[in-house]
């Protein structure tokens, strides 16, 4: 399996959907697709600062994935209820709720690109009600320096997704120095995605690959309210609560 990075142009694929077939084959063979500078640095920093203020000035809570639920933010402090162990602060947005940035418009082409690479129509699972028990969702995740991590795992893979595009809202070095997102090959060698990306880039890889987030800057004191560490955003298509047709993520250990 090859972990070669290759570049993807959303504009080209959306104009000529047959190009998605080639991207699909490369991703299924272990390639990592990258969209360079999908989002401008200034907008990425503005969104990150907005989420920081929310995290500093309102109580975290939890909402299940159900149609009509509000946007929310939550802490996962190695929560035993999670399918995959981790330590991060998550900010969730749904397409039926409005927000000041119009985030689902900002990321619309990534949802379409994800669908085409999966082999679906570009608009599948979009809108306020989703389809077939699956909804579109944006999940911004902040991993604090000193403690932030996500266990090695595999994401659900199937008709609803072959890949989970991940938007980089921080970069290494700069926002953090050590650790971060990785994928593993068969012998356990880790390939660190943050070493090959910059703020505003997007990565696509096979959801079945073992991947995770190695503890970010493990020797730094954690200061949750400073929001210093690693930021990312998942372009997610998730099953709604009660949908038993799609499996859960599989935690394969630390």
């Amino acid at each position: 399996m090859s972990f070669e990075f290759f570049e993807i142009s959303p504009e080209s694929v959306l104009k000529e959907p047959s190009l998605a077939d080639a991207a699909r084959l490369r991703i299924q063979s272990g390639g990592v697709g990258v969209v360079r500078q999908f989002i401008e640095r200034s907008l990425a920093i503005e969104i990150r600062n907005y989420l920081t203020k929310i995290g500093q000035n309102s109580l975290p809570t939890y909402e299940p994935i159900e149609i009509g639920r509000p946007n929310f933010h939550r802490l996962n402090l190695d929560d035993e209820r999670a399918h995959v162990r981790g330590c991060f602060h998550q900010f969730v947005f749904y397409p039926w709720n409005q927000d000041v940035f119009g985030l689902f418009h900002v990321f619309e082409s990534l949802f379409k690109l994800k669908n085409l690479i999966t082999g679906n129509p570009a608009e599948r699972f979009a809108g306020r009600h989703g389809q077939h028990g699956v909804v579109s969702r944006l999940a911004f995740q902040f991993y604090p320096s000193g403690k932030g991590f996500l266990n090695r795992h595999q994401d659900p893979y199937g008709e609803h997704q072959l890949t989970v595009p991940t938007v980089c809202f921080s970069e290494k070095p700069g926002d953090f120095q050590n650790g971060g997102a990785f994928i593993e090959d068969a012998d356990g060698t880790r390939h660190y995605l943050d070493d090959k990306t910059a703020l505003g880039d997007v990565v696509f890889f096979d959801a079945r690959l073992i991947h995770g987030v190695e503890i970010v800057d493990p020797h730094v004191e954690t200061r949750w309210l400073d929001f210093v560490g690693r930021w990312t955003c998942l372009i997610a298509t998730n099953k709604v609560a009660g949908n038993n047709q799609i499996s859960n993520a599989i935690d394969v250990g630390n």
Side-chain angles (χ1 to χ4, degrees):
M1 181 172 284
S2 171
F3 287 107
E4 178 185 5
F5 278 64
F6 67 96
E7 295 199 9
I8 300 176
S9 166
E11 295 80 8
S12 298
V13 175
L14 293 177
K15 187 179 297 184
E16 181 49 67
S18 64
L19 294 175
D21 297 336
R24 182 186 313 120
L25 290 174
R26 295 186 75 171
I27 289 170
Q28 289 175 323
S29 297
V32 179
V34 184
V35 177
R36 298 293 183 188
Q37 291 298 289
F38 173 82
I39 185 170
E40 293 185 2
R41 295 178 68 90
S42 58
L43 178 57
I45 292 171
E46 187 177 9
I47 292 172
R48 197 171 72 184
N49 290 341
Y50 171 72
L51 298 176
T52 295
K53 291 178 181 177
I54 291 173
Q56 290 172 332
N57 294 286
S58 62
L59 289 173
T61 185
Y62 174 80
E63 294 282 346
I65 302 176
E66 294 177 341
I67 302 295
R69 290 286 183 169
N71 299 335
F72 69 98
H73 68 104
R74 70 175 181 123
L75 286 176
N76 181 343
L77 305 180
D78 200 7
D79 191 335
E80 73 281 358
R81 297 170 296 180
H83 296 301
V84 180
R85 290 183 56 209
C87 180
F88 55 87
H89 196 150
Q90 184 182 70
F91 301 79
V92 173
F93 292 81
Y94 290 113
W96 49 81
N97 299 318
Q98 294 182 327
D99 66 84
V100 296
F101 291 100
L103 290 171
F104 280 87
H105 176 71
V106 172
F107 296 109
E108 180 179 13
S109 63
L110 290 184
F111 280 103
K112 290 180 177 179
L113 183 58
K114 173 179 180 173
N115 275 324
L116 291 172
I117 289 174
T118 300
N120 289 325
E123 303 288 345
R124 195 168 194 192
F125 311 123
R128 298 182 177 179
H129 302 291
Q131 289 180 339
H132 309 297
V134 175
V135 297
S136 298
R137 191 174 76 124
L138 290 170
F140 294 86
Q141 296 191 173
F142 163 68
Y143 296 86
S145 291
K147 289 186 178 180
F149 79 96
L150 187 62
N151 258 12
R152 299 163 62 249
H153 67 284
Q154 296 170 295
D155 286 318
Y157 178 102
E159 186 179 356
H160 71 300
Q161 68 178 18
L162 302 185
T163 181
V164 184
T166 305
V167 188
C168 304
F169 271 79
S170 58
E171 57 191 4
K172 173 187 177 184
D175 295 300
F176 64 101
Q177 304 297 316
N178 298 295
F182 64 86
I183 52 178
E184 286 188 3
D185 59 24
D187 66 4
T189 301
R190 293 186 175 184
H191 302 265
Y192 293 88
L193 300 176
D194 298 297
D195 291 343
K196 298 180 179 292
T197 56
L199 182 68
D201 291 352
V202 188
V203 294
F204 294 71
F205 58 87
D206 192 314
R208 295 171 296 184
L209 291 177
I210 292 176
H211 61 284
V213 177
E214 189 175 288
I215 189 166
V216 175
D217 287 342
H219 303 298
V220 174
E221 180 184 2
T222 301
R223 299 176 61 88
W224 280 97
L225 294 181
D226 288 346
F227 283 88
V228 174
R230 179 178 183 269
W231 282 91
T232 190
C233 179
L234 305 180
I235 306 300
T237 45
N238 295 125
K239 65 177 183 177
V240 298
N243 180 351
N244 297 318
Q245 303 304 308
I246 296 174
S247 64
N248 296 317
I250 301 172
D251 189 323
V252 294
N254 207 348

